[in-house]
Amino acid sequence: MMHYAGSFPTTRMRRNRQDAWTRALVAENALHVGDLIWPIFLTDGTGQRVEVPSMPGVLRVSPDVVAEHVAEAASLGIPAVALFPYTPMEARDEDGTGALDPDNLTCRAARALKAAHPGLGVIGDVALDTYTTHAHDGVVRNGEVDNEESVAALVTMSVNYAKAGVDIVAPSDMMDGRIGTIRAALDAEGLQRTRIMSYAAKYASGFYAPFRDAIGSLTGPDRAGPKDKKTYQMDPANTDEALREVALDLAEGADMVMVKPGLPYLDVVHRVRREFGAPTFVYQVSGEYSMLMAAVERGWLDHDRAMMESLMCFKRAGANGILTYFAVQAARLIKAG
Ligand code: PBG
């Protein structure tokens, strides 16, 4: 497709921008409520609604109130929520065995959600980080995250989640070969309908810090969490490598792929969608949320404008859907027109 630019004064780009209705007609992208996925933090106990210190307005909720917590999201038409359990240090162990418990927080919340909101999609994050004392996403052996042993744990977790009602398992661990292994295990259990959203291009990012606060993973004497996850998450310097990751996950059976973080990685979102045309998701991560909210709290940015613009940019880059802590607020604004 070729575009021939005219020249001034015959061609005036401002002509199409002069009224709201013309701007609407020529808009190339739109943000819909159906594009939004809302991440939810879970905590044990009853009647719990605890604010996450580094994420203003974001709560951890207990399984007995989770259905009520998402009721507005469901009625606004948000298609799915993604579950992330908070685990205090004293409830963790070296190998993250809590991940394998068929009655863990995610499983209990999934059952409660499917009972109360059968039409709402439930996504379960598959990784060991919230269950291990070192907060790595897999099992550590001889100082290294062991690929095969970690994948074995992820498989058990995925099958448990699916049996508890999780519709989409979302491995966020970046181990090699986990998508194909999980797919085979699900199919062997008769769980062919369970979808896999792979965190395909997940970078070793500094923007996850507030999330680690939210799930209780600020481990170590300085509470910084694992210093880095660079032996399994991707180097921010790379994009061709992201395409190879996506190609492998799709070949192994991923139904949807994700790029993460979001705004600093829009080029990756764009290339992934262009190259594969597969359902492409992006995660506007905790650090992006907290950065925006910190500036909003100081009066430096307008909340609604900054939020809606950031979400629209994901659509422009080619994302089919967005995981965002702003999901409910954005959906309210979209609904209000
Ligand atoms: C863990 C996981 C992380 C996020 C989602 N799943 C953090 C990490 O890899 O350390 C980050 C989400 C966010 O920052 O909002 N497997």
Side-chain angles (χ1 to χ4, degrees), residues 39 41 55 84 125-130 135-137 170-174 199 202-205 207-212 215 217 226 229 232-233 258 260-261 283-289 323 325:
F41 294 111
M55 299 183 74
F84 296 95
D125 191 75
V126 179
L128 298 185
D129 56 319
T130 186
H136 276 296
D137 288 3
S172 67
D173 54 287
M174 293 295 280
Y199 285 68
K202 176 172 177 179
Y203 287 86
S205 173
F207 289 98
Y208 308 146
F211 173 94
R212 293 180 189 170
I215 65 163
S217 282
K229 299 189 175 184
Y232 44 106
Q233 298 179 349
M258 193 205 298
K260 173 184 176 191
Y283 200 140
Q284 180 175 46
V285 300
S286 57
E288 301 177 63
Y289 174 85
L323 288 94
Y325 301 98

Side-chain angles (χ1 to χ4, degrees), residues 142-189:
N142 307 316
E144 295 214 347
V145 175
D146 184 273
N147 198 83
E148 271 65 4
E149 258 200 79
S150 300
V151 170
L154 302 171
V155 163
T156 305
M157 244 179 132
S158 299
V159 169
N160 288 349
Y161 282 5
K163 287 182 176 166
V166 167
D167 302 289
I168 304 180
V169 292
S172 67
D173 54 287
M174 293 295 280
M175 297 302 117
D176 287 321
R178 89 275 207 222
I179 300 300
T181 315
I182 289 170
R183 182 72 272 160
L186 290 171
D187 291 354
E189 293 278 345

